Amino acid sequence: MSQYISNLKYAAVTVCCVVSFGGQSFVLDNTNFPNEPISPLPLAHHQDPAKISVGRALFNDVRLSKDNTVSCATCHRIELGGTDHLPKSMGVEGQIGNLNAPTVFNSGLNFLQFWDGRAESLEAQVDGPIHNSHEMATSWPELLSKLQADSALMESIGKAYGVALSESVVKDAIATYERSLLTPNSRFDQYLRGDNSALSDQELNGYQLFKSYGCVSCHQGRGVGGNMFEKMGVVRDYFADRGNITTADFGRYNVTGKEDHKFEFKVPSLRNVELTAPYFHDGSAQTLEQAVNVMAYYQLGRKIPDEDMQAIISFLKTLSGELPEHAL
Amino acid sequence: MNSITKSNKRDFLQIGLGLIVGAVLFIFLYVKSHNTDPQLHGKIVAEISEIKHADAEFQKALILNRYGLVSSYDQLVESNQNFLKKSEIFEQLLHSSMQSVQLSRNMAAFRQLLSEQKEFLEDFKSHNAVLKNSLRYLPQSIDNFTKTLDSNKQRQVIEKLHDLVRKVLQVNLIFDGKLLSEIDNQVADLQIDSMSLKDDQREQLALILRHAKLIEKYKVNVDVLVEKTLSIPTETALNEVFNTYLELYQTRENNAHNYRTATVVVAALLVLVVLYYMVKITRLSSALQQTVYQLKFQKFALDQHAIVSITDSEGNITYANQRFCDVSKFSYSELIGQNHRIVNHADMPKTVFSDLWSTITKGNVWRGDIKNKAKDGSEYWVASTIVPFLDENKKPFQYVSIRTDITKRKMMEAEVIQANRAKSDFLANMSHEIRTPMNAIIGLSHLALKTNLNEKQSDYLEKILSSASALLTILNDILDFSKIEAGKLTMEHTQFSLQDLINQVFALNCLKADEKGLEVMFHQAADVPNILVGDQVRLGQILSNLLSNAIKFTEHGEVVVSIGLESETANQMVLKFVVKDSGIGLTSDQQAKLFESFSQADTSTTRKYGGTGLGLAISKKLVEAMHGSIGVKSSLGLGSEFSFTARFGKAGSKDFLNLPYNKLFGKRALIADDAESARNILSDMLSGFGMQVKAVSSGEIALAELATTGKRDLYDFAIIDWQMPGMSGLKTILQIKQADFPQVKPHCLLVTGYGREEVYEEVSSGELDDVIIVTKPVVPNDLLNHLLALMGDNGTAIASPRNIARDVDDIQRLLGMRVLLVEDNAINRQVATEILESHGIEVAIAENGQTALEILAREEIDLVLLDIEMPVLNGFETIKKIRANTKWLHLPVIAMTAHAQESMREKCLVAGMNDHIAKPFDHDILFSVLARWAPQKAQYWPKRKLRKSIDSDDDCPALKGLDTCAGLKSVRGNKNLYRSLLIQFTKSYSDLSETLQRALKDNDKSLAKRYLHTVRSVAGAIGATGLAEKAWSYEQCIGERNGETCESEKLSFDNELQDVLNSISGIAEDDVSTLTQSEHDSSNIEYHTLINDLERLLKTADLEVSERISALRPFLTTNLQKTSFRSLQKAIETFDFDEALQHLYSITSDTQHSGGSKNE
């Protein structure tokens, strides 16, 4: 009898699923040009304000480091475009890191975290700097015991989470805060959403050149990058020219161990790119022009004339969005 | 009934257990049958569809991207992430649904495929981007490059480049291995060609070739990756996972199905069982219903007859039937929940309810009659039966009370009781009415006998007296009997001394035995305690009755009274009393009827011995009231043995005789007595003291025994009977004293059944003054005291309880005592006054309580005799007022009533009186009571001294034959008393000479000696010392010699007696007043003033006289005066002043001739 009922249920569920198949589709928010490779950032982040608040506090908390000198915000400075403007960041005891600190803005949209994409999520990413001896150089037990002493923090965690302090709470709070750090409503997004006056001719021209030179093959999607890996030096050998190759330069190879994946890095998002110099995983490009040049030379195997270069740069600058109020 | 309940209980227990087991099984199966979670299963199935859908979406996005139909990877990334996420959810669902190795393995394979696919995807994205750019740039760069070339010279190169573009684009569209190798060849060819080009051109060409090579490489790569991505069997793997899951689920579902089936079966079984028992219960309940119906019918029947109520264990009513409501007048709702006490009547004694509760709480049925109170206050009687219902622990949980309305019966009973009461009241009244004249008859007879009478008169009076006494006895018997018949006999429970009681009984009866020459013996077993709790008077009555009977019906021989302990418990004992005589005995017919009312042995006996024949009937009833039985063994002509048992309580402290025993313990005594019973009694008594006893039957044997004993077996005591055949007691003792025994001689005791005085004479004449005389019957206390005294332990000797006061000593103790007689009846007053005064007791008189109080306030009174029924202020009110004054708290007050009932005596004692005597007075009892309550001598006499100040030798008038000074001294100077003693002496002994003559003529020497002995002591007391000496010589003479030889002693005694009598009569004629003259002189003036005043006041009819009149009282001396005074008071009270004046005159005239009027 009961089995019969469950069979009926199964049938009903199946019918429902079949019906819902047809209804599902991807919604692209490109009013202006539906098939544009770039789509605008979502205007709202949909994160819990209480958790954001806890996350912000932890993001700025130096107790997350071994000697209470380094917080997340030390390298990802919100007021400076979510990065520290250093080629390579400085961790505890003044140690210099191996890679350039990427911006924390819109990092929630990245398909993976870290230059080599070794973290599946922002939560998983937190583990990295905490344990990295060049960065925070601490451990969860040490860190949690330090936080435990902060009754105000404990109270706000209690309110936001309803559970006691734990590793996963810390991770979730920081990740939640980071996911809220979207920079929507850039001029380019305004253009995409139908405001044709949002961009100048040169900027529009720059966008056309960005597409025609093939930059957009990698820097596409909502984040204008951040959804794929690419080899640094596709057409020409970047590292042979640069020299002084380190393990960090092996990129995705360090994760998969496959020779093919050597020198592959996550394509960085170009959102707010104007604010996030220096560029590349090794922070070797100090200016946008330099960066675009390097990209054209090594990735495209082309030389971009100065006029085009200026247009492209002016386009790139339209990608700077609005910093949410709660970020600071 | 009980076994049925038990088996039922067992049945129910089994059913219950079965049901519980069934229910547990049911629950277990039910849980098992729900082992599968259809909801979760539904979710999993839905999730599979979702995953498949996501997979499809992903593949769609991949293809769209591959063919450049979309320009961003967002869709692809998102769909892939969605796919992975769904897979993860699916895995979690699976994990929470069930765990299986197979399933995990399949899932792991699926996961592996997913991560492989992801890696392909990432590679695809990177390579596709590069391919896209190169494909776009290659034609453009070739175009730009060929423009820089010379179209003629370098036509070949240009063509080769165009061919390359074509081929590359072709490869991009259709994968062709041949084409690829052609491209390779072309690139190689062009590289050769580039050698001939200029540097910058060569570099440009190299870049073009690099792009071409990239396209060639990535094109293949991308296609392979897409194919690989799409061909990865994720769906197969997923299906495998799902199939495994479905299989497992199916298995589980099958199991659950089996459990479900089992559940249904168990449920069905349970239902069947329940149904079966329901049917059974229904049947049972219909049987029960039938029983209930039956019970209801029975209850209906019961309710028709009885008042029924049910209460809980606290006594709260849970049920009441209509009759209960009707009789109690409460409504049903008013009764329910109320405590049953609601109908209790205040009249019911609390003990009834405490008895009721203690009975029913123990689980016993209680029955009894209860008076209840209805709602309106009216009362009704019910005969109740209260039945406790017990639970398993035998504890009552409810009480059923079944009652019958017996109000009518009770009313009838009350009427009967009322009638009975009327009857007994009538009897009591009659007794009162009879006693009052009887009192007069007896009292006045006594008095008359003391006056000068001729023989005939004396004989008549004595007969009147004995007839009256007999009448009084009969009256008492009848009263007692009617009381017993009416069930009004109440037994007292007070502590008393058995010894005292025996003494009293013997004292009352032994005189008669003495007269008959009977030996009365007493034997009390050693283990009989002396102090008992019971009714002393009633026990005395029985013993007295039996003893007097025994004496009455025994002409010669002995009477033995013995007491033994029959049985004993912790606080009670049963004593057996035996009175054995050697009298006429009884036939068995007589024995049979003996204890019946109004029957004696036969009517002829009545005629010969007198008596009502009620004595034994009363004794029987009394014995029964003491929880004992009475019986007789007798053989005609040989004697009778009456015995009875009686139950007594034990006194708090042990027998007080125990203590001094120690001194006597182990001492040796030799008894010599010819009578075996006497020997046995004495042996037992002495053994009881812990002594070693040897008893022999004659003096000779006793002497022989003493002579032969060795030093070790010394006799400490020799107890010898006075009268023995052969060697007499005295002779034996004399022989012992004179004998030359080797050892110390024993202390000797002489036991005599005769008057002490005779023996004394013999003893003193025989120089045996250290011999102790013990009179029969020997009582343990007396004997003990004597023995202890001989042991030199006088101090610890036990004071023997005093006999009833009939000794001269006792009466003399009362001399000069001042008694207030409160009595309204003139004759009674006179009788009492004269009896008391004749014994030297001063009497103050009050007619009622009020006057008594006045006298008490004014005068010093030692004792009050208080009548109960009096006008103005009766006895009870008077005693209340007396006791209210702390001064008179300890004043002895003795009630006098004509009511012989015990209840009256109790009532008097409760009211605060010290004792009670019944009228008419028995002289002995009166004086015994007075002696008991008279204040101690030490305090008594000095008081008199203060009041009467005359105590000097100058005041002793010289009288012939009388040393008045010595006489006055003996009465502590009380001249009035002395005078009355002298007058009494005259009355008693004026004809003593003739009496003695008569006695001697009859050869009754002992009587003569007794008279002389008595007169000797009395003469000494009044100061007639000469007469005392003469009496002594005369008495000695009679004792020693024959009558004739005592002529000189007789003559001197007669002369002396005559002198004394003359002297006294002289006083009576002219000198008594001189004895008291000085007293009167001192107040003469005052007296005359008072008389004059009173006379004046009466003449003027002034009411002030009523206030002054009492001032006259102290001047009244004679009885006539006192009588006149009372008449005077009465006249004044009734305002008859003329008559009052006459009474006043009679007082004054009596004062003037007081001397003359006295002696009449």
Side-chain angles (χ1 to χ4, degrees), chain A residues 3 10 13 21 24 35 37 111 211 214 217 220-222 227-230 234-235 252 258 261 301-302, chain B residues 45-46 53 57 71-74 77 119 122-123 125-126 130 133 136-137 207 210-211 250 253 260:
Chain A
Q3 189 183 16
Y10 173 65
V13 167
F21 255 113
Q24 283 209 348
N35 206 17
F111 81 128
K211 288 196 280 191
S217 294
Q220 32 65 51
R222 287 170 303 184
N227 63 1
M228 61 179 282
F229 293 109
E230 192 53 85
V234 177
V235 182
R252 195 181 166 208
K258 288 187 175 167
H261 296 151
R302 294 175 74 161
Chain B
V45 172
H53 177 65
E57 282 296 321
S71 47
S72 130
Y73 288 138
D74 276 357
V77 170
E119 217 172 291
E122 293 309 330
D123 288 348
K125 284 192 288 187
S126 310
V130 176
N133 278 351
R136 183 185 295 151
Y137 184 58
L207 198 61
R210 170 91 184 127
H211 279 291
Q250 199 59 48
E253 178 62 26
R260 268 194 296 275

Side-chain angles (χ1 to χ4, degrees), chain B residues 628-649:
Chain B
S629 59
I630 190 164
V632 62
K633 282 189 280 186
S634 179
S635 45
L636 199 62
L638 291 177
S640 314
E641 184 186 302
F642 285 82
S643 61
F644 68 94
T645 55
R647 202 162 82 193
F648 297 96

Side-chain angles (χ1 to χ4, degrees), chain B residues 656-664 781-800:
Chain B
F656 60 68
L657 284 181
N658 281 338
L659 283 171
Y661 283 5
N662 299 340
K663 294 243 170 193
L664 295 175
N781 257 15
D782 278 344
L783 185 61
L784 183 66
N785 279 346
H786 286 307
L787 295 177
L788 287 171
L790 287 172
M791 292 288 293
D793 195 21
N794 249 334
T796 56
I798 302 302
S800 179

Side-chain angles (χ1 to χ4, degrees), chain A residues 235-258:
Chain A
V235 182
R236 293 197 171 94
D237 194 341
Y238 172 80
F239 292 101
D241 293 350
R242 197 200 72 188
N244 194 22
I245 298 168
T246 64
T247 313
D249 291 326
F250 291 157
R252 195 181 166 208
Y253 169 82
N254 291 332
V255 181
T256 64
K258 288 187 175 167

Side-chain angles (χ1 to χ4, degrees), chain B residues 438 441-442 445-446 449 458-474:
Chain B
M438 288 281 289
I441 294 165
I442 293 171
S445 300
H446 266 291
L449 273 173
S458 176
D459 181 42
Y460 290 163
L461 274 175
E462 269 166 20
K463 278 176 180 158
I464 291 172
L465 194 58
S466 70
S467 303
S469 299
L471 192 56
L472 194 62
T473 313
I474 292 166

Side-chain angles (χ1 to χ4, degrees), chain B residues 990 993-994 1027 1053-1063:
Chain B
S990 53
S993 298
E994 290 78 32
L1027 182 64
F1053 173 78
D1054 284 353
N1055 288 340
E1056 187 71 28
L1057 176 66
Q1058 204 52 52
D1059 283 350
V1060 172
L1061 289 172
N1062 286 341
S1063 293

